[in-house]
Amino acid sequence: MPATMGKPEILLKALLDIGQELIATTDLDELLARILRISRDVFRFENAIIRLVDDKGEMLVTAAAYGYSEAASSTTIPLGRGVMGRVALSGKPILVENVCAQPDYLAGILGARSELAVPLIAREKVIGVFNVESPLPGAFAAEDIPPLMAMAAQAAIAIENARLYQNLRRMSGRYQELHQLNERILKSVNLGIYTVDDQLKITSWNRSIAEMSGVSEEEALGRDLFALFPGLEEEGFGTRVRRVLEQGRAENLRLAHRNFKGEMRIQKRRLAPLKDGERTTGAVVIVEDVTEFKRLLEQTIQSEKLAEVGRLSAGIAHEVNNPLAVISYAAQLLLREESLPPYQQELVERVESEVERLKALTGSLLSFSRAQEMVRRSTDVNEVLRDVLRLVRYELSRNHIDLVEDYGDLPWIKADPNKIKQVLINLIMNATQAMGATGRLLVATRPVAGAEVEVEITDSGPGIPEEIQKQIFDPFFTTKREGEGTGLGLYICRNIVIEHEGRLLVESGAGGTTFRMVLPVG
């Protein structure tokens, strides 16, 4: 019999110390090691084994042991089988004075003769069995059971607490990983995402919505949504988000929103309720900025309209050319008449001259309206510029723009004349619009050292502010009012010039703006 048995005062103190020690331990492996140390140091057992019920509640699995062989400790025991299995099933201790008389005895220590097994019970449930054996028959007595049961009860509660703590820590780790994953997702997506509680206080604010709004996460969190963005009420967003909170149903809307930077943005918003059971505790708002898509769509529609105008212009030019041919032929016949008075001959010559001018104009329209891929051929830049001016001369005259032309002696270049016309028309029309009701437009050409030619277009307008000069070639950038421009004109011009291996340069000041298109000769 163990030396401490039969000394109640020693056992009582030991049990109190054991209880305090076990309660202070939350690591399961460390706890099991302490229980075994207590069984060895306090109860003086030569061996001990703790088997715990598995998750399915069917088997006893060794959790810790000393004094047992590896083969014995690695054995799993079905509930109801052997001494320990019957203890786990019944929840009552079993004292065996002679294991040889037990037909279902499962081998433990070498040469075992007696055995004592007590249940580990926590919250009225058997969670395992504590078992000791001895090579001496009758080594354990009935009076050994109460102190061992007391120690087992404390150990069971401590084991259950350690398990709960372990599960809690595992779940906490999972929730932390999930939270971090959610944070990474929210920060990575290109959609603006934020949440508000039922009092419309901002509770989360991702990176994209911070960029869209111009308000950082630190500035937004905890603030009232409509105190931070009062304009949302005027845009009708307040009514929608309150309806989502009241009715618990998702809604979609599209609105024009002016952000803190003063930019007018077109946004699609999806509002969804945040639920805690059946109660709506807040709302999540997903914001998609479709401004660039809308502009691209408008540009596509405008391009289709321009293509249709081009086709109509070509048809009209063909129709105009037919009567012009008749008029030209008649004028030529009249000019052959020697009997015409001088003033009539002058009038016929004037008619012939104007017919030629109209034919040149319709020819330019036909050439420019042909939709085709870039085809380079030998091109006279001066003649291309004259063609363009014939097309826009009326617009210049209507706006009282004085046109100054200065043509240099240029070599011919390899270029697509239609593409070059597109660039020149855009630059000249931009200059005309910049000057307004009156002004002076200089168009000049000159050869440049290094086998290049240069076309200069200078207006007398107010100039381009220095802070936006680097942005004028960006797609969708425009200083015109909403609906007056797509912001793609200069972007397309630069791309055309780059396709020709050239450069499009800009200089601007208070006295006007100069665009220079430099193209290689080869």
Side-chain angles (χ1 to χ4, degrees):
M1 180 181 293
T4 55
M5 294 300 181
K7 298 180 180 179
E9 68 282 359
I10 297 175
L11 283 175
L12 178 61
K13 184 177 183 306
L15 288 172
L16 290 173
D17 293 341
I18 289 168
Q20 292 176 352
E21 185 176 355
L22 295 183
I23 289 172
T25 307
T26 55
D27 183 86
L28 184 58
D29 291 335
E30 182 184 348
L31 175 64
L32 293 169
R34 286 192 178 190
I35 294 170
L36 292 180
R37 191 180 68 245
I38 290 167
S39 69
R40 184 176 59 246
D41 297 345
V42 176
F43 291 92
R44 308 300 175 99
F45 293 136
E46 295 176 359
N47 57 76
I49 188 168
I50 299 172
R51 284 190 168 98
L52 300 178
V53 179
D54 66 5
D55 293 337
K56 295 181 179 179
E58 298 174 352
M59 307 289 286
L60 285 173
V61 181
T62 300
Y66 72 91
Y68 282 77
S69 67
E70 185 177 348
S73 60
S74 62
T75 302
T76 56
I77 300 175
L79 266 62
R81 184 180 173 193
V83 174
M84 295 185 73
R86 284 188 278 127
V87 169
L89 193 61
S90 65
K92 296 178 180 180
I94 294 179
L95 171 61
V96 180
E97 295 183 356
N98 186 2
V99 297
C100 296
Q102 297 291 322
D104 62 347
Y105 171 72
L106 299 174
I109 66 168
L110 187 62
R113 290 292 181 270
S114 55
E115 181 177 6
L116 176 58
V118 297
L120 298 171
I121 301 175
R123 296 176 178 85
E124 300 181 354
K125 179 182 177 183
V126 177
I127 65 168
V129 177
F130 180 87
N131 186 82
V132 291
E133 297 181 48
S134 173
L136 301 174
F140 306 105
E143 58 265 25
D144 296 331
I145 295 176
L148 198 57
M149 285 287 290
M151 189 273 288
Q154 291 178 328
I157 293 172
I159 289 171
E160 188 69 3
N161 288 341
R163 277 177 160 180
L164 291 173
Y165 179 77
Q166 195 176 56
N167 290 338
L168 180 62
R169 187 167 56 182
R170 189 182 300 115
M171 289 179 64
S172 175
R174 288 176 182 171
Y175 282 129
Q176 187 174 5
E177 289 175 4
L178 183 60
H179 177 71
Q180 291 172 349
L181 177 61
N182 287 339
E183 284 291 315
R184 288 196 295 271
I185 292 172
L186 288 176
K187 289 179 180 179
S188 300
V189 295
N190 291 327
L191 298 173
I193 301 175
Y194 66 92
T195 56
V196 295
D197 61 17
D198 55 0
Q199 299 300 311
L200 296 172
K201 302 288 185 185
I202 298 170
T203 54
S204 69
W205 193 258
N206 81 336
R207 176 184 54 82
S208 293
I209 194 66
E211 293 175 355
M212 289 180 190
S213 64
V215 178
S216 68
E217 182 181 13
E218 292 75 14
E219 294 171 312
L221 290 181
R223 296 284 301 277
D224 182 278
L225 178 63
F226 296 105
L228 188 61
F229 298 100
L232 288 175
E233 288 282 16
E234 300 173 7
E235 294 166 359
F237 183 71
T239 304
R240 295 293 193 92
V241 71
R242 290 187 182 94
R243 194 158 63 200
V244 169
L245 292 172
E246 291 169 5
Q247 301 179 0
R249 291 199 300 268
E251 293 206 13
N252 297 309
L253 73 156
R254 181 183 178 125
L255 53 81
H257 171 69
R258 189 174 296 280
N259 63 18
F260 269 24
K261 301 173 186 176
E263 302 169 332
M264 183 61 72
R265 311 297 294 180
I266 307 301
Q267 296 178 343
K268 289 169 65 178
R269 300 194 178 196
R270 176 170 176 79
L271 296 80
L274 290 174
K275 297 279 193 175
D276 183 4
E278 294 298 317
R279 190 169 68 92
T280 301
T281 58
V284 58
V285 183
I286 302 174
V287 183
E288 181 182 5
D289 192 309
V290 295
T291 309
E292 313 305 338
F293 174 78
K294 182 174 180 291
R295 287 178 179 172
L296 184 59
L297 181 62
E298 289 174 348
Q299 173 62 19
T300 302
I301 295 171
Q302 183 68 10
S303 297
E304 290 296 324
K305 288 181 179 178
L306 290 174
E308 186 61 30
V309 168
R311 287 189 288 270
L312 288 172
S313 299
I316 292 171
H318 276 296
E319 291 300 318
V320 170
N321 275 341
N322 292 331
L324 283 179
V326 174
I327 295 171
S328 177
Y329 179 66
Q332 291 172 14
L333 290 178
L334 287 172
L335 286 173
R336 294 175 186 174
E337 295 289 335
E338 296 180 358
S339 60
L340 280 178
Y343 77 92
Q344 290 183 352
Q345 185 170 357
E346 182 181 347
L347 285 175
V348 173
E349 288 175 351
R350 180 69 181 273
V351 168
E352 176 68 14
S353 172
E354 291 303 310
V355 165
E356 290 300 319
R357 188 176 71 83
L358 283 173
K359 286 171 69 176
L361 180 61
T362 56
S364 296
L365 276 174
L366 283 169
S367 175
F368 183 69
S369 64
R370 290 192 187 100
Q372 56 186 16
E373 294 183 3
M374 187 172 74
V375 178
R376 296 193 189 192
R377 58 178 181 269
S378 293
T379 301
D380 182 352
V381 174
N382 285 339
E383 188 57 36
V384 171
L385 183 55
R386 291 187 185 98
D387 276 348
V388 168
L389 292 174
R390 278 193 286 269
L391 289 172
V392 300
R393 197 176 297 273
Y394 171 74
E395 188 71 18
L396 297 175
S397 175
R398 188 172 67 87
N399 286 281
H400 307 291
I401 304 296
D402 293 330
L403 177 64
V404 179
E405 300 175 66
D406 182 12
Y407 299 100
D409 186 13
L410 301 182
W412 285 37
I413 67 171
K414 287 287 186 181
D416 184 327
N418 273 333
K419 295 284 187 181
I420 300 303
K421 282 181 184 178
Q422 185 176 349
V423 174
L424 294 173
I425 288 173
N426 196 291
L427 295 178
I428 291 172
M429 294 307 295
N430 280 354
T432 303
Q433 292 168 7
M435 288 184 284
T438 185
R440 179 177 181 272
L441 180 68
L442 168 66
V443 293
T445 63
R446 63 183 65 89
V448 179
E452 292 178 321
V453 299
E454 179 181 278
V455 180
E456 175 189 333
I457 298 173
T458 300
D459 65 58
S460 59
I464 303 170
E466 186 176 353
E467 61 271 17
I468 67 171
Q469 285 185 27
K470 293 181 180 179
Q471 299 175 265
I472 60 173
F473 294 112
D474 293 343
F476 303 115
F477 179 81
T478 180
T479 57
K480 297 174 184 176
R481 289 180 297 179
E482 189 77 21
E484 289 189 0
T486 61
L488 286 171
L490 288 176
Y491 169 74
I492 292 171
C493 287
R494 185 184 64 173
N495 284 347
I496 290 173
V497 174
I498 290 173
E499 284 180 352
H500 285 79
E501 300 171 9
R503 305 184 301 281
L504 185 58
L505 310 172
V506 61
E507 298 173 10
S508 188
T513 300
T514 297
F515 279 91
R516 288 187 171 87
M517 179 174 64
V518 182
L519 298 170
V521 173

